[in-house]
Amino acid sequence: MDFTGKNILAPMVKAGTLPLRLLALRYGADLVYCEELIDWKLLRSVRRENSMLGTVDFIDESDGSVVFRTCSSETSQVVLQLGTCNAERALLVAKKLENDVAAIDINMGCPKEFSIKGGMGAALLSQPEKVRTIITTLVNGCKIPITAKIRLLREHKETLAFCKMLEECGVSAIGIHGRLKEQRPRHANNNGAIAAVARELKVPVIANGGSMEISCFEDINKFRAACGVSSVMLARAALWNVSIFRKEGILPLDNVIIEYLKLAVKYDCTVGTSKYCVQSMLRELQESPRGKAFLAAQSLHAICSLWDLGDFCSNIQEERRKMSGAVSNGKAE
Ligand code: FNR
């Protein structure tokens, strides 16, 4: 698998589920990262082929929730992002999922308290020996590529040493978010620091953190050039309007929301996740009359109705109810 010259959907908790990933691919993304999934959640999940949806699901049997849902059309392009601080657990998860995803990424950049307290995410940036063990174990034990997503360390030489260590361990690519772990999205992304590190590495670097300067396809190429790399990864710019990946130009937001909702219905996405995604797309439009009605909507059907997809949603949901009735009556093939 080649990580050079790619436009990539970045990992986003809650947002990076199957509908957004499929839409990003449809609009031209080359690779899509799933939201960060914590190792033990995947470990205790059960793999099920969902014939009704045409998906592969990893289900938490304690409450029936879907931990990870994927389908064959994304298998060669989806990267599973893992939150982990433990090599054995990471390897067990990797073996469990390696036939269903194209690569596995380890999150080494998340600054949230949950990650740091658990020794995961950005906590790993100060534990190179632990990282060495995790990455070496995965690279030696897995048949698919392993990547890492990091943030900048305070000094250039520290970031470079950390990346060289990752390179030595055999990662296939390194995603670099050009901010320190203490910095927030409003701080400027240090594109020059990404370029300075990338220059000294052999492994492909995927630049990240440029969304504030990206509002059309050409901006993606400007960001790529500013970071001196061939691959870039977008989070917020893609969440705001995922058609940003279209070479032919960005589409009107309503068209994108309609396509997103169709996929959300088709893949039986939860109302919580669908609402979160559409809300992130609407941004200031939440203040419009439709935006306010959207905020009050409590079901996927109610949300769909606001974009004239009420019948579409009811028909699919009804068909699914009939099919599951037939399955439970033993009538399905
Ligand atoms: C993120 N980010 C993130 N990073 C990561 O490694 N794993 C994750 O699960 C998440 N989750 C997440 C959710 C949401 C809603 C946002 C906005 C961001 C960080 C993200 O991948 C990226 O590094 C930063 O947003 C900077 O890139 P952009 O937004 O400037 O393209």
Side-chain angles (χ1 to χ4, degrees):
M1 194 178 165
D2 183 10
F3 285 90
T4 57
K6 301 286 188 272
N7 289 337
I8 301 173
L9 178 71
M12 282 182 279
V13 161
K14 218 164 164 188
T17 60
L18 186 58
L20 191 73
R21 298 198 304 266
L22 289 179
L23 201 50
L25 290 173
R26 188 188 295 171
Y27 289 142
D30 301 298
L31 296 174
V32 289
Y33 279 52
C34 78
E35 59 176 333
E36 180 197 45
L37 296 168
I38 306 301
D39 55 7
W40 58 263
K41 271 197 148 188
L42 279 166
L43 261 188
R44 74 173 189 196
S45 70
V46 176
R47 184 185 185 280
R48 297 230 187 283
E49 293 194 10
N50 185 331
S51 55
M52 200 148 57
L53 300 182
T55 56
V56 171
D57 298 344
F58 289 82
I59 303 286
D60 184 337
E61 286 195 315
S62 68
D63 59 5
S65 62
V66 177
V67 181
F68 178 57
R69 171 166 284 161
T70 182
C71 65
S72 58
S73 62
E74 69 164 359
T75 308
S76 62
Q77 291 161 293
V78 66
V79 180
L80 173 82
Q81 191 189 58
L82 261 191
T84 190
C85 62
N86 180 283
E88 286 83 50
R89 267 204 314 273
L91 183 60
L92 287 171
V93 174
K95 298 308 287 176
K96 186 168 178 173
L97 281 108
E98 69 180 353
N99 293 320
D100 293 310
V101 297
I104 291 178
D105 180 74
I106 303 299
N107 184 347
M108 303 186 189
C110 181
K112 299 259 162 67
E113 196 184 344
F114 169 81
S115 288
I116 301 283
K117 278 198 171 151
M120 299 180 289
L124 291 171
L125 293 175
S126 52
Q127 294 175 277
E129 284 316 309
K130 184 180 273 182
V131 170
R132 190 186 283 280
T133 310
I134 294 173
I135 298 294
T136 308
T137 304
L138 288 173
V139 169
N140 292 338
C142 279
K143 60 181 186 189
I144 55 175
I146 305 300
T147 64
K149 178 168 176 278
I150 69 164
R151 280 180 177 242
L152 293 173
L153 288 127
R154 198 155 284 284
E155 301 291 334
H156 165 73
K157 62 175 191 296
E158 292 176 88
T159 312
L160 186 61
F162 195 86
C163 290
K164 289 253 183 202
M165 178 272 293
L166 289 170
E167 193 174 64
E168 257 174 47
C169 295
V171 292
S172 298
I174 304 175
I176 306 184
H177 178 182
R179 294 185 177 85
L180 302 171
K181 69 175 192 293
E182 299 77 19
Q183 290 183 310
R184 303 279 73 94
R186 64 176 185 281
H187 294 114
N189 201 58
N190 195 340
N191 300 342
I194 298 177
V197 173
R199 251 196 309 275
E200 298 194 52
L201 296 174
K202 290 186 211 74
V203 71
V205 164
I206 304 166
N208 174 239
S211 278
M212 296 305 287
E213 277 78 48
I214 296 175
S215 53
C216 62
F217 188 80
E218 291 70 47
D219 292 341
I220 301 180
N221 289 331
K222 285 186 198 153
F223 178 55
R224 192 192 320 277
C227 295
V229 296
S230 71
S231 293
V232 297
M233 180 186 259
L234 310 185
R236 289 165 297 161
L239 188 56
W240 297 329
N241 186 328
V242 69
S243 71
I244 191 84
F245 287 112
R246 281 180 93 241
K247 273 197 217 57
E248 306 80 8
I250 202 155
L251 294 172
L253 188 60
D254 279 334
N255 300 23
V256 175
I257 292 177
I258 286 170
E259 294 311 311
Y260 173 81
L261 286 173
K262 285 184 182 168
L263 288 167
V265 173
K266 182 171 175 201
Y267 290 105
D268 202 16
C269 199
T270 64
V271 62
T273 300
S274 315
K275 195 165 179 178
Y276 177 76
C277 264
V278 175
Q279 193 172 353
S280 308
M281 296 178 197
L282 284 175
R283 301 167 78 193
E284 64 277 6
L285 293 174
Q286 289 174 61
E287 298 303 320
S288 69
R290 181 157 64 180
K292 287 186 178 146
F294 162 79
L295 289 175
Q298 300 287 338
S299 67
L300 194 49
H301 181 267
I303 296 172
C304 283
S305 301
L306 294 167
W307 278 272
D308 295 329
L309 291 171
D311 288 347
F312 174 86
C313 181
S314 326
N315 291 342
I316 290 194
Q317 289 182 338
E318 181 53 28
E319 210 173 293
R320 213 174 279 146
R321 258 192 297 277
K322 281 191 199 142
M323 274 170 84
S324 58
V327 169
S328 58
N329 290 330
K331 287 186 216 146
E333 304 232 307

